[in-house]
Structure formats: C-alpha cells, structure tokens
Amino acid sequence: MVNKLKFSSCSHIRSDLGTDFNFGKMKHCHTWGFHSFNGVLVIGPLLLLFLVAIGSGYFYNINSLSEPIVHENANGTGELSGDCNVFVGNWVPDESYPLYNASECPFAEQGFSCLANGREDKEYLKWRWKPRNCEIPRFDVQEILEKLRGKRIVFVGDSLSRTQWESMICMLMTGVEDKKSVYEVKGRKITRQIRHLQVRFSSFDFTVEFYRSIFLVQPGAPPKRSPKRIKKALMLDKLDDISKEWIQSDILIFNTGHWWNPTKLFELGWYFQIDGKMKLGMTINGAFKKALATWKSWIEKKVNTDRTRVFFRTFEATHWSDGSRDKCDVTQLPWSETNGKDESVFSDMIIDTVRNVSNPVTLLHVTPMGAYRSDAHVGTWSDNPSVPDCSHYCLPGVPDMWNEVLFAFLFSDQQYQIG
C-alpha cells in the first residue's frame, strides 16, 4: 500500500504505508470551533457579539481560499480539502537559503548555474515557499538520506524534469561526506540530448535517475508516402519505448509540456499519429490530452503502485515578455501577484487526468508556485547568453522547493498548522 494523505479539518492526516517505505505520519491540528454557547449567554450579549464577529471573520477567511487542489487522485489516495493545500501560498524571505552552492555540485549543469554565469544580484536565492494554511517541513538532509536508503528514484520528462533531478542530487550531496561516493554509474556527462542518467549514492545504496522523454509518448518515423513536411510522427497511443525501464522504481516523477507548442512541433516537422495514421488536423491540446490518456492507461496496467509511489508535476510557469519567446525580462524580486501565470490549460488537463487514474498518483501542482517567480529564471545567465531563457530556473532556486514539497509528501511527520 502506498502513502495515503487524508485531509480533514478536525482530524489527522494519516499515512498508510507498506513495508517498502518508512514514512512518518502527517498530523493535522484541530481547528477552532464553538461547541457550546451556554457559557457565553451567561457572560453577556456583548461577549457573544464579539465571538460571533470573530467566528464569522474566521469562517469567511477559510471559505475565501482558492478551490482545493487534488493533491492525490480520489481513487483511494486522499480526500478533497482546502485545509492544507501546500500549493496555495506565497514566497517569503528566508536567509537560510539557498540549500547548496551550485559551483560545488558536479551535477548542476553550467547552463543553470546563474551565479557562475555572471548574475550579480542574489536576492532570488533567499526565498522560501510558505503555504497559506500549513508549513512545509524544513529540509533535513541526513533524515532524507536515511529514508532513501536502498531506493530507486526516477524522473521522467523534459529539461525541466532534468533540472529537478539535478536539484535533488545537489540537495542530497550536502549531507554526504565523501563526495566521490556519489557518481554517474556509467561516467556519462549531462547533456541536453542524453536519454538516461543514473547517479548512485553508494554510501546509502540508492540511485537518482533521469530519463529524457519530452512527450512521454513514442516518437518515430512517419508512414511511407507522408507529405514532405512531416519529418517525425508522434505516436500518441504508445508510451515511450524506454518506459519499460521506469517500472521497477520506488519513486517515479513525471512531467511534460514545454515541447507541446507549434515552434517545437510543427515548425520542426513533428505531427501526430494514432493507430498508424497521421492526424494532420489534430490540435496540440487535443494531442496532449490523448498522450495523457495513454500515460494513464500505462500507469493502470504496468505500474505496481503497492511498490512505486507515482507523482505528476504540472506545467511550470514561464515569464516571457511577449508571445514570441524572444524577450525575457528577469526581475530582481518575485512578482507580488500571479498576473495570470498560475493558470495553464496543460496543468488543467494533467489535474483532470490524475484525478481519474484508478491507481494512486500524487499531483505536484507547482504552476501557482512558479507564477510569482519572474526573478528566478536563467535569463541571459546561461552557457549561451545570446539566447534568453524565461522557461528554465536557476539552480539553486525554484526546483529545490519542488523537491522539498516532494519530500514532505513522502516523509513528513510534522504537524500541519491551520492559520
């Protein structure tokens, strides 16, 4: 049985787990409630009016929260609740950040190490995500390393997934004395096109792996006698052929989205295929939905969720100054408002898919978190400064918070407070 987080306002968040994971229990604090007004009536009407006003204000604030997010799908892994939604909140200054120095981490690639690439301001490093109604446990590297002992963690997706993979390794390496005991199993270097990377923490007997699968579904050659503009066929009804290598994992984290746009599809000759037939009139949104349905079917048929804890991360907010992705104005501080960046059609489709998977899947709805962070992108502080980047984030940075949330879902035994 995988971890199940049960959310309810005057109960505990329970963690129901099998023998594979020694996760802690996540407890929920009691909320205020008025059980009896007898004493109040004795004291007097003024106190009654005061308490009613306070109570009304409290319940108004609770009811005015955003609609609850499905942290985990409704098929046995959690209830819908707005009481402890870790993805509704804001960024607060915190001098204890960053969690590591990218220049000291051999797995933080040069293109994401903004300070090493000349960024001078450091304010973007000093922010922590604070949920509105609860706390995310502080990162305890020694505790996490012990709980990951003997496990296999697998990230699957595009370059934003690789960024989270790099972030996790750098975070965990801060607790390892012998840095040489952390190594890529085959000595491979991180590149943009590499299909698989496997980093082993030998002192703790676990691996953190990345599989490049930008669409999750299978790319291939188009059928014979296809129009010349078709260079590649994206088989929406078949999951990536390397998916068989993802199955025997303990923690499995997916993402996709940033390659699903006309520039990276149609202008490069990528078109959609279903049941061996090209679908030239199919929209990108329609194709994305079909690909997610294929992923859903694969999860239900192929993954043993009694062993494997499955996560899907939603679309990561971008901050391009225009629709052409030519102009990227990185700010010095986060936005105070989301300015519509907390909304994404792709995220909506991912949420809907996760909600309907028959197996347990946990949603990492990071879109609202990233919406504020116009300050945290690579910009021109990359290994190719002539090409601005308002999609990827600097390391250290926002992806570290994604991992802190991930670890909270997996291992936390901290009480979740209601404000």
Side-chain angles (χ1 to χ4, degrees), residues 158 214-216 254-258 260 288 292 312 315 350:
D158 55 29
I214 55 180
F215 299 112
L216 301 184
F254 291 94
N255 98 300
T256 188
H258 282 274
W260 294 85
F288 189 79
L292 289 176
F312 205 123
F315 192 73
I350 291 169

Side-chain angles (χ1 to χ4, degrees), residues 31-180:
T31 63
W32 289 98
F34 298 106
H35 300 291
S36 172
F37 280 96
N38 292 337
V40 175
L41 292 174
V42 171
I43 295 172
L46 291 178
L47 181 57
L48 174 60
L49 290 173
F50 173 76
L51 290 175
V52 169
I54 293 296
S56 298
Y58 171 81
F59 287 112
Y60 171 79
N61 288 332
I62 290 296
N63 292 330
S64 66
L65 298 183
S66 300
E67 287 297 313
I69 298 299
V70 183
H71 288 290
E72 305 188 62
N73 63 326
N75 298 291
T77 57
E79 301 166 0
L80 302 183
S81 173
D83 292 331
C84 194
N85 185 344
V86 295
F87 303 109
V88 174
N90 61 289
W91 294 87
V92 296
D94 192 319
E95 287 297 320
S96 68
Y97 284 77
L99 298 175
Y100 57 88
N101 184 338
S103 297
E104 298 175 356
C105 179
F107 298 98
E109 62 185 280
Q110 180 70 22
F112 302 142
S113 184
C114 297
L115 287 181
N117 292 322
R119 184 166 184 174
E120 295 182 357
D121 68 293
K122 297 182 180 180
E123 288 88 348
Y124 74 96
L125 297 169
K126 302 292 186 179
W127 295 91
R128 172 175 59 87
W129 178 253
K130 171 66 176 70
R132 186 179 299 178
N133 277 344
C134 49
E135 290 287 348
I136 296 170
R138 293 300 182 121
F139 177 62
D140 184 333
V141 64
Q142 294 301 330
E143 179 182 4
I144 299 298
L145 285 168
E146 286 298 333
K147 289 182 175 179
L148 289 177
R149 190 179 289 275
K151 306 304 178 189
R152 181 182 180 225
I153 305 101
V154 172
F155 289 89
V156 178
D158 55 29
S159 55
L160 273 298
S161 180
R162 191 176 74 247
T163 309
Q164 187 179 3
W165 171 80
E166 294 175 22
S167 161
M168 178 178 286
I169 295 169
C170 292
M171 291 169 68
L172 295 174
M173 281 190 72
T174 61
V176 178
E177 290 187 14
D178 181 7
K179 306 302 183 185
K180 293 183 179 179

